[in-house]
Each structure stands twice: as structure tokens, then as C-alpha cells.
């Protein structure tokens, strides 16, 4: 029977993958660079595959290294979770977190499961509102932490995930071919709405806003029913949607940046722990794309390799 993997080696491996540098990783794990290099040689010997390749001055993961990374993160997380389960000094209290409903639908199951297993004595209070409202709650001290759509003009947030913003329509309707394009958007201060309008105006495309709502459920319903076209981040794609691209006459949109905002809190340890769990969860969660129609098991997809959606790709039907 083969010996188990060394968790210290895996932690160092993750640090190198995240920083792209043996030197910076050595600083993070408090080891010398020669010790880090030795750890990685031993890990490569243990795996039996090369894990890194040079890319200029940085160290890039090989295909085998990329495969190992998701397993390494899971093993390190499980180790933390196990230790937390037997820690008599576990965190205890209440924390208030805010998130838009589309992020809640996609990300909260994984975030809550990870955090609650490690911190069973912490009560989560969740508020679902659009990003502008959450920013105000943070400023007024009503929330300890918020998962928001990053906007440089609204204040600082720590970006923890980037996704393409996509034009979407119904896979079963030709809504996007209408002469005057019917659109479903968030409220006027929504940055996705402003980005879409800017592209349409530059292209001289006629459109009218048919639905306006802060609810992602309403926007999704308008698209799936064939009543309107909209823009959504990759994480918000649903079965029955079709992604539109330049071949369909739709210009490229800016990326969606998802960030964490922190409020003033008397429980910084809990906030730090939740922020870490959010960052780790969002780093592991895959894009909801499956080759099998109707197969949208988010738990099973959580640690799968991310598959980027392409223009004209149709999401499996309901």
C-alpha cells in the first residue's frame, strides 16, 4: 500500500500555484526556498508526474499539476474541518452576511456547508439584496460581510472570482433576432445593465427595456420564457438558455468581478473565517455546464474543473 500524501507538501504546492512563485510561496509557508524546492521534488516523486513547468519567470502548473490542485485543496480543507470539529475553542456567535440572490442561488450552498461544518456554533444571518443595497448596509453597520459585484466606484472589495458577462436568450425562441431587441435588466444603477446598454448604443442596436427588476429570478424567467434577452455572469446560466456572441451581432461585455466587502464588526475572527471559506469555495466551484441534459448537481460539480462557456452554446433543457 502506498504511503499517504504529505499535507505540508500539499499546502506548499497550493501556495506555489496561487502565487506562481517558489520564492513567494516560501514566504507564505515560512520555509526556505531550497526547502520548498525539496518538498516539490518529493511530491512529484510521490505522484510520479511533473507538476510544474517554467513560463518565463513564473512556475506554471502542468496538466497533472492542475488535476492535483483541486484534490490538494479538498484535502487541506478536510484537514482543517477535522481539526475544527475537535477544537474546544471553536468560534461562537452570530455573523450577518449579504449577497445578491443570483450569487446566493449559485454559491451559498457550498459556502454555508463548508463554513457550518467547520464552525457549528456560529449562526449565519443572510440578507439577499442587489449589490448597491448591500454596500449601503455595510456602510451603516448592518452587515459584517457582503459578497458583491465589484465596482471601483462603490468602494473597495476584495475580488475573489472573475467570470465573463454573457448575452443570453432562450434556446427555444428567436428573441434575439427581433428588430427591436426586448431586454430584461436589473435596476438602472446595475453595472451589468449599464455595460450592456453601452455596447448596444455603440452598435446602434434598437432595444427597449421590457422588464426591470432587482430579482435574478424575474430576469431568468423573462429569458427562459422567450420574452427578453439579458446579460448574466457565467455562474447564473440556467438550463434552456443560449449564449450569444459576436456572430449573433452582440459585442463583447466586460468581465464580472465578484468581491468581498467587510463591515465594522466586533467579531473579526468570525468574519476572517467566513471570508476565507468564501474565497476557497468560489475558487473551487465550477461553472454550471454539463454534457448530460438536466445534470446540474452543484455539490458534485463543486470541485470539477471549470469549463468556460462559448458563444452559441445551449444549456441543457429543463
Amino acid at each position: 500500500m502506498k504511503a499517504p500524501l504529505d499535507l505540508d507538501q500539499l499546502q506548499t504546492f497550493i501556495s506555489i500555484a496561487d502565487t506562481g512563485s517558489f520564492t513567494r510561496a516560501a514566504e507564505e509557508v515560512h520555509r526556505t526556498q531550497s526547502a520548498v524546492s525539496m518538498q516539490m521534488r518529493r511530491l512529484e516523486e510521490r505522484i510520479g508526474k511533473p507538476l510544474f513547468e517554467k513560463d518565463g519567470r513564473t512556475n506554471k502548473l502542468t496538466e497533472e499539476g492542475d488535476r492535483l490542485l483541486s484534490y490538494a485543496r479538498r484535502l487541506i480543507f478536510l484537514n482543517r474541518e477535522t481539526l475544527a470539529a475537535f477544537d474546544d475553542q471553536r468560534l461562537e456567535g452570530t455573523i450577518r452576511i449579504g449577497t445578491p440572490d443570483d450569487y446566493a442561488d449559485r454559491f451559498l450552498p457550498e459556502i454555508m456547508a463548508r463554513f457550518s461544518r467547520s464552525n457549528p456554533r456560529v449562526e449565519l444571518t443572510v440578507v439577499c439584496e442587489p449589490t448597491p443595497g448591500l454596500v449601503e448596509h455595510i456602510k451603516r453597520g448592518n452587515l459584517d460581510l457582503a459578497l458583491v459585484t465589484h465596482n471601483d466606484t462603490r468602494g473597495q472589495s476584495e475580488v475573489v472570482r472573475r467570470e465573463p458577462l454573457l448575452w443570453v436568450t432562450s434556446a427555444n425562441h428567436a428573441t434575439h433576432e427581433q428588430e427591436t431587441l426586448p431586454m430584461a435588466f436589473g435596476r438602472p444603477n446595475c453595472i451589468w445593465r449599464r455595460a450592456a446598454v453601452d455596447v448596444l448604443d455603440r452598435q446602434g442596436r434598437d432595444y427597449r427595456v421590457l422588464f426591470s427588476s432587482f430579482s435574478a429570478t424575474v430576469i431568468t424567467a423573462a429569458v427562459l420564457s422567450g420574452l427578453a434577452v439579458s446579460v448574466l455572469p457565467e455562474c447564473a446560466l440556467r438550463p434552456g438558455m443560449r449564449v450569444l456572441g459576436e456572430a449573433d451581432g452582440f459585442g463583447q461585455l466586460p468581465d464580472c468581478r465578484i468581491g468581498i466587502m467587510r463591515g465594522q464588526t466586533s467579531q473579526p475572527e468570525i468574519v476572517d473565517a467566513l471570508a476565507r471559506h468564501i474565497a476557497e469555495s468560489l475558487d473551487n466551484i465550477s461553472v454550471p455546464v454539463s454534457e448530460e441534459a438536466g445534470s446540474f448537481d452543484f455539490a458534485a460539480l463543486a470541485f470539477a474543473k471549470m469549463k468556460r462557456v462559448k458563444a452559441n452554446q445551449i444549456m441543457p433543457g429543463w
Side-chain angles (χ1 to χ4, degrees):
M1 182 178 177
K2 292 184 177 181
L5 292 169
D6 187 298
L7 291 178
D8 285 338
Q9 293 176 1
L10 293 178
Q11 183 63 71
T12 300
F13 171 68
I14 292 171
S15 295
I16 296 171
D18 289 343
T19 63
S21 166
F22 275 59
T23 301
R24 291 196 293 272
E27 295 173 355
E28 283 195 359
V29 299
H30 307 291
R31 295 178 183 271
T32 64
Q33 187 171 341
S34 59
V36 165
S37 297
M38 177 62 72
Q39 278 189 309
M40 292 305 96
R41 281 197 294 271
R42 290 176 176 170
L43 182 58
E44 287 182 327
E45 291 172 359
R46 184 70 189 82
I47 296 296
K49 304 284 184 181
L51 301 175
F52 298 97
E53 58 186 4
K54 278 290 186 181
D55 183 15
R57 294 186 177 182
T58 62
N59 291 279
K60 180 182 177 182
L61 291 180
T62 62
E63 185 177 347
E64 288 78 11
D66 196 46
R67 287 175 56 201
L68 176 62
L69 184 59
S70 63
Y71 287 107
R73 294 192 194 280
R74 292 166 67 183
L75 288 168
I76 293 299
F77 169 73
L78 186 58
N79 179 66
R80 289 179 186 163
E81 183 181 301
T82 303
L83 293 174
F86 293 92
D87 183 5
D88 291 333
Q89 304 299 319
R90 284 179 290 180
L91 296 174
E92 187 171 356
T94 301
I95 185 170
R96 303 161 300 173
I97 176 177
T99 177
D101 58 351
D102 43 1
Y103 295 165
D105 180 56
R106 182 67 185 95
F107 300 133
L108 269 190
E110 172 70 9
I111 293 169
M112 293 172 69
R114 289 171 65 107
F115 184 76
S116 296
R117 284 196 297 263
S118 297
N119 303 278
R121 298 178 183 175
V122 176
E123 177 186 344
L124 284 175
T125 298
V126 182
V127 174
C128 287
E129 285 191 21
T131 290
L134 297 176
V135 172
E136 288 302 313
H137 281 309
I138 286 287
K139 291 179 179 178
R140 295 173 182 172
N142 298 329
L143 290 174
D144 300 301
L145 185 147
L147 187 64
V148 299
T149 301
H150 180 83
N151 183 344
D152 294 328
T153 64
R154 285 193 185 128
Q156 295 299 316
S157 69
E158 175 191 353
V159 176
V160 291
R161 186 177 173 102
R162 285 177 178 266
E163 293 191 355
L165 188 61
L166 303 168
W167 299 98
V168 292
T169 188
S170 166
N172 301 314
H173 303 81
T175 314
H176 61 288
E177 297 178 358
Q178 295 184 28
E179 185 174 349
T180 299
L181 195 67
M183 299 300 304
F185 283 138
R187 296 295 178 86
N189 59 350
C190 172
I191 62 172
W192 300 343
R193 174 174 178 159
R194 292 203 298 267
V197 167
D198 285 345
V199 172
L200 293 173
D201 287 344
R202 286 198 304 270
Q203 293 182 322
R205 184 72 182 268
D206 289 333
Y207 67 91
R208 62 190 177 97
V209 179
L210 193 60
F211 297 97
S212 181
S213 176
F214 64 80
S215 170
T217 301
V218 172
I219 302 300
T220 298
V223 172
L224 290 175
S225 62
L227 294 175
V229 172
S230 190
V231 290
L232 294 173
E234 203 167 39
C235 66
L237 296 178
R238 292 293 181 267
M241 289 183 178
R242 175 186 169 190
V243 177
L244 301 169
E246 292 183 0
D248 303 294
F250 291 85
Q252 187 172 2
L253 294 161
D255 281 349
C256 166
R257 293 176 293 169
I258 303 173
I260 293 174
M261 290 192 74
R262 301 171 186 244
Q264 298 296 322
T265 178
S266 60
Q267 302 180 95
E269 299 87 359
I270 299 179
V271 171
D272 288 344
L274 180 56
R276 185 176 65 250
H277 278 274
I278 290 174
E280 291 175 351
S281 295
L282 267 60
D283 187 52
N284 285 327
I285 289 176
S286 66
V287 173
V289 179
S290 171
E291 286 79 16
E292 297 182 14
S295 178
F296 271 69
D297 184 349
F298 289 156
L301 286 172
F303 295 101
K305 185 176 178 61
M306 187 174 290
K307 302 176 183 179
R308 286 298 176 199
V309 179
K310 299 179 181 179
N312 290 322
Q313 183 162 348
I314 296 176
M315 310 304 291
W318 292 102

